[in-house]
Amino acid sequence: MAEASEKAVLIELGDTGYELADPDEDVRGFKVVDQEDDEIGTVDDLVIDMDEKRVRFLLVGAGGFLGIGETRFMIPIEAVESIEDCIVHINQIRERVVESPKYDPELCKDPRYRDGIYGYYGFTPYYWAGSWPYPPPPK
């Protein structure tokens, strides 16, 4: 299974020309808040696994002005607790996200980087689980 993970390609959905099967599930542009309802940032894009055509991470931008000086973070979709009123609630605290590894599209090709992000947030990388079930939709 690890061999397949090393070949997996993660890419921003916005760079693919693909669209979500259900446009109502598109959270790009939604505000992201932590488990204490503190604002973290905004969902800039969704990072997908090109082999399985599944969203694996939220790409969240924080800080900056009009995209200048913004810091971007990858948050595993397993961290999503709920989505309501254009707000994505995650099961992490803001400080944990802000201190996480910063997003680097080149490093997305490195399984150690991806695994490190999953581990940082306390999740097991999806491909280690064998027939890994896709997380159920948040409430």
Side-chain angles (χ1 to χ4, degrees), residues 36-55:
E36 298 170 349
D37 284 329
D38 291 331
E39 185 172 348
I40 295 170
T42 304
V43 179
D44 285 347
D45 211 339
L46 305 171
V47 178
I48 63 169
D49 175 334
M50 288 295 290
D51 292 336
E52 295 190 21
K53 307 289 189 283
R54 294 187 182 264
V55 176

Side-chain angles (χ1 to χ4, degrees), residues 82-94:
S82 65
I83 302 169
E84 58 188 356
D85 301 324
C86 298
I87 299 173
V88 177
H89 298 266
I90 64 168
N91 65 4
Q92 303 287 318
I93 60 171
R94 184 179 189 286

Side-chain angles (χ1 to χ4, degrees), residues 4-18:
S5 72
E6 292 176 9
K7 296 177 183 175
V9 176
L10 296 182
I11 189 167
E12 293 178 44
L13 180 61
D15 291 341
T16 66
Y18 293 127

